[in-house]
Amino acid sequence: MRVYYEKPRTSLSWKGYIYDPNLNGLYNIELGLRNVRNLFLKLIKIQQPIAIEILNPLFSYYFNDLISWSSIGARTVSSQIHREIASNLSNPVGFKNSLDGNINNAFNAMLSAASTHKFLGINQNGKICTITSSGNIDSHIILRGAIMIDCNHSNSDKNDKNQIHVAESILRYLSDNHQLIIGLMLETTRTSPLAIWQANYVKKQLLCYYPYLSIKLLPIITSGDFNIRRIAAICKRDDPRDAIVSKFYTDIYSLPKKAIIGTSSVRRKFQLLALRPDLSVHPLRGNIHSRLNKLYQRDFHAIILAVAALKRLNINKKLYTPLTFSNMIPAMGQGAIMVQCRLKDSKILDLMHTINDKETEICINSERTIISHLATGCHIPIGVYAKIEQKNQIFIQTVVGSFNGSKVIRSEGKSDIKQAKTLSHKQYANFNYTTTSIWRKSRKNFTIVWKKSMASTINIFYTRQRFTSS
């Protein structure tokens, strides 16, 4: 079983569980070491062989007695330290060929690992000592890059949306003369920790009502079949607010003049600039942890993230402060988890009915009504939030503005919950002409799409996990 507790990085990003076991950026490596070893002991107890990749040579001393196979990656195959470590292992070692495909470095690594070496290491008491290795003849080369082509990362210019174009290009190029290429690898960001948390949350909710179910989570690679799905349930909404995330600043007004803020959301950007026109808002993409890493590297004074996402990933509460609704109205559906299923799958629909939260459903539908008539997608400067008050009243706040935050229009309304749809229509009717004028003046050649399919609209908070039951 391949159990990789650390991950090689071409530049900077999350380095793996052993470095940051709590996924909060505090890097409790001691806890990571203990947890990984405990996991290995449990696997050994059930007679499960373990395979690892050796990146940080120091970690290997804590696990050597439990490992059945090790690998040395393409980035470290030329490292003398890794070759020396391999020469002292009691298990087989695989050396990957270099990033450019050359096998010479891997071959030389095999020769070096088979020889004896003297080098500094750690003894059983945890102290630095001189180690004399006897050589490890059980090594081999791992060929990479010539069998399966990675359509992401550098091949897609690190833009996952380009993967399909890369795949199409390769398929056009393939012929009978390229028999070494046996497949393509495409990745989906929906296997991120946040997406997995949300999927498991829905799974746990279902098992509360149906403990006999066997539920398997299957990541969806493409998004081209939305038209054959429908909404099955909307779970109870979590905290819908945005948060300022920073090591040094707890609110927007405490930020220094011309502070650099990270967010790619035009909704967040225009509301920030409306409050602080001096701020410099820069694009920030990636999953939650990659964004936090940019903050830790001091690329930004602060970044803006959803409170619900930070809570779900157990991010240290000391790192962020929720923003009030007077400062920032959230995106449609923010904080909610929605489940979709096949269009005519009545069995799944019946199961999902039990985890649907009626109040959240009414609020999200009200928000979606406003968004679908004003504009669609996450590239529009608009925020909307609906909530239930006193069990029978619905309160809706909407904000729209220019892309640079120079103009902001707010609208609020309250009505009986039975009149939620009517209230939503009144809200967007008040904005209709004014917002069109503002957006067109503030962004040249910008085309507003007034109506779009329901599936595209709800994709803002779609978990992209399919649930099957048996």
Side-chain angles (χ1 to χ4, degrees):
M1 180 181 186
R2 191 176 77 163
V3 190
Y4 284 12
Y5 47 79
E6 55 180 334
K7 182 172 177 58
R9 291 298 186 182
T10 302
S11 54
L12 296 169
S13 189
W14 189 67
K15 294 191 295 185
Y17 179 84
I18 199 166
Y19 286 95
D20 191 14
N22 292 323
L23 299 174
N24 57 8
L26 296 181
Y27 295 96
N28 191 341
I29 297 177
E30 180 181 351
L31 176 64
L33 275 170
R34 293 181 182 276
N35 287 353
V36 170
R37 182 163 179 88
N38 286 335
L39 171 63
F40 285 178
L41 288 171
K42 291 179 181 178
L43 291 173
I44 292 299
K45 191 173 181 179
I46 62 173
Q47 299 183 354
Q48 175 65 60
I50 298 170
I52 66 167
E53 178 175 352
I54 299 175
L55 293 179
N56 188 322
L58 295 178
F59 289 149
S60 64
Y61 292 102
Y62 293 91
F63 311 125
N64 281 345
D65 57 323
L66 305 174
I67 303 305
S68 299
W69 180 86
S70 304
S71 70
I72 306 293
R75 295 170 179 81
T76 50
V77 70
S78 301
S79 164
Q80 182 61 36
I81 296 174
H82 287 77
R83 293 176 179 184
E84 291 169 347
I85 293 289
S87 72
N88 195 47
L89 295 178
S90 58
N91 56 261
V93 181
F95 295 95
K96 292 185 179 181
N97 57 317
S98 302
L99 293 172
D100 60 3
N102 193 301
I103 68 169
N104 290 336
N105 288 333
F107 182 74
N108 289 332
M110 289 176 59
L111 296 177
S112 178
S115 305
T116 61
H117 293 274
K118 288 185 179 293
F119 57 97
L120 288 180
I122 301 176
N123 62 22
Q124 292 182 343
N125 296 319
K127 295 183 178 180
I128 296 295
C129 66
T130 300
I131 293 177
T132 301
S133 67
S134 57
N136 185 354
I137 62 172
D138 296 319
S139 63
H140 56 277
I141 293 177
I142 304 171
L143 290 176
R144 63 183 301 280
I147 302 299
M148 183 170 291
I149 298 177
D150 183 359
C151 295
N152 201 7
H153 302 104
S154 297
N155 287 335
S156 65
D157 291 329
K158 297 188 177 181
N159 183 346
D160 61 306
K161 294 180 180 179
N162 291 334
Q163 289 186 95
I164 189 63
H165 304 302
V166 175
E168 290 173 348
S169 176
I170 294 169
L171 291 173
R172 286 195 298 267
Y173 180 73
L174 287 177
S175 67
D176 293 338
N177 296 325
H178 298 86
Q179 297 177 1
L180 289 178
I181 302 176
I182 63 170
L184 310 177
M185 181 176 70
L186 293 91
E187 293 188 1
T188 170
T189 58
R190 293 302 175 178
T191 55
S192 68
L194 180 59
I196 292 171
W197 187 99
Q198 293 172 161
N200 277 304
Y201 172 83
V202 174
K203 177 180 177 179
K204 290 176 182 177
Q205 293 297 306
L206 284 171
L207 290 175
C208 287
Y209 292 95
Y210 310 103
Y212 56 85
L213 285 180
S214 174
I215 301 174
K216 184 178 181 181
L217 307 182
L218 301 173
I220 295 176
I221 301 295
T222 64
S223 56
D225 54 348
F226 281 174
N227 60 328
I228 63 170
R229 300 181 191 175
R230 59 162 294 176
I231 301 171
I234 302 177
C235 301
K236 187 175 182 179
R237 194 176 209 165
D238 204 334
D239 193 327
R241 294 175 295 175
D242 291 291
I244 179 171
V245 187
S246 175
K247 287 185 174 182
F248 309 107
Y249 309 101
T250 57
D251 60 71
I252 294 173
Y253 300 103
S254 65
L255 289 164
K257 191 175 182 180
K258 296 183 180 181
I260 300 174
I261 310 300
T263 179
S264 292
S265 164
V266 293
R267 173 189 61 83
R268 290 167 175 162
K269 180 179 179 179
F270 95 89
Q271 292 185 81
L272 282 172
L273 293 177
L275 296 170
R276 288 281 306 271
D278 63 295
L279 296 177
S280 180
V281 182
H282 291 203
L284 176 63
R285 301 187 184 278
N287 61 38
I288 298 297
H289 290 103
S290 63
R291 297 185 197 191
L292 289 172
N293 282 336
K294 294 283 182 65
L295 176 67
Y296 301 147
Q297 294 158 20
R298 300 196 176 184
D299 292 352
F300 304 96
H301 290 89
I303 62 177
I304 308 297
L305 297 173
V307 172
L310 294 165
K311 288 173 61 179
R312 289 165 185 170
L313 294 178
N314 197 29
I315 303 301
N316 190 346
K317 292 182 179 180
K318 295 181 180 180
L319 284 175
Y320 64 91
T321 305
L323 299 172
T324 63
F325 292 115
S326 61
N327 284 337
M328 187 167 292
I329 301 296
M332 180 202 77
Q334 187 161 304
I337 297 176
M338 190 193 73
V339 183
Q340 288 189 334
C341 73
R342 291 181 293 271
L343 199 58
K344 298 180 180 180
D345 197 330
S346 58
K347 183 178 180 181
I348 295 296
L349 285 170
D350 290 340
L351 292 173
M352 293 297 173
H353 177 73
T354 56
I355 66 171
N356 185 68
D357 185 78
K358 192 61 180 178
E359 288 191 359
T360 301
E361 180 186 5
I362 293 171
C363 291
I364 299 303
N365 285 338
S366 299
E367 294 171 13
R368 190 170 69 234
T369 297
I370 295 172
I371 291 290
S372 64
H373 284 80
L374 285 178
T376 57
C378 56
H379 301 297
I380 301 296
I382 180 170
V384 59
Y385 173 58
K387 66 176 180 178
I388 304 298
E389 295 181 342
Q390 300 175 348
K391 294 186 178 181
N392 61 354
Q393 297 281 311
I394 184 168
F395 177 64
I396 304 177
Q397 296 174 283
T398 308
V399 60
V400 299
S402 58
F403 288 86
N404 60 9
S406 60
K407 293 185 178 180
V408 176
I409 306 174
R410 295 178 180 271
S411 176
E412 295 181 356
K414 182 184 291 188
S415 73
D416 187 274
I417 197 170
K418 295 179 181 179
Q419 303 298 319
K421 190 170 184 180
T422 302
L423 179 61
S424 299
H425 282 272
K426 286 182 180 179
Q427 289 256 327
Y428 76 70
N430 292 336
F431 286 111
N432 210 339
Y433 174 78
T434 308
T435 53
T436 307
S437 175
I438 289 176
W439 290 337
R440 285 177 177 166
K441 287 180 180 179
S442 65
R443 189 169 181 176
K444 275 190 172 183
N445 302 321
F446 184 80
T447 303
I448 296 176
V449 182
W450 294 99
K451 291 185 178 181
K452 206 171 182 181
S453 69
M454 181 184 298
S456 297
T457 304
I458 60 177
N459 187 39
I460 293 175
F461 58 102
Y462 171 43
T463 64
R464 290 204 189 191
Q465 296 289 333
R466 179 184 290 130
F467 302 89
T468 59
S469 64
S470 59

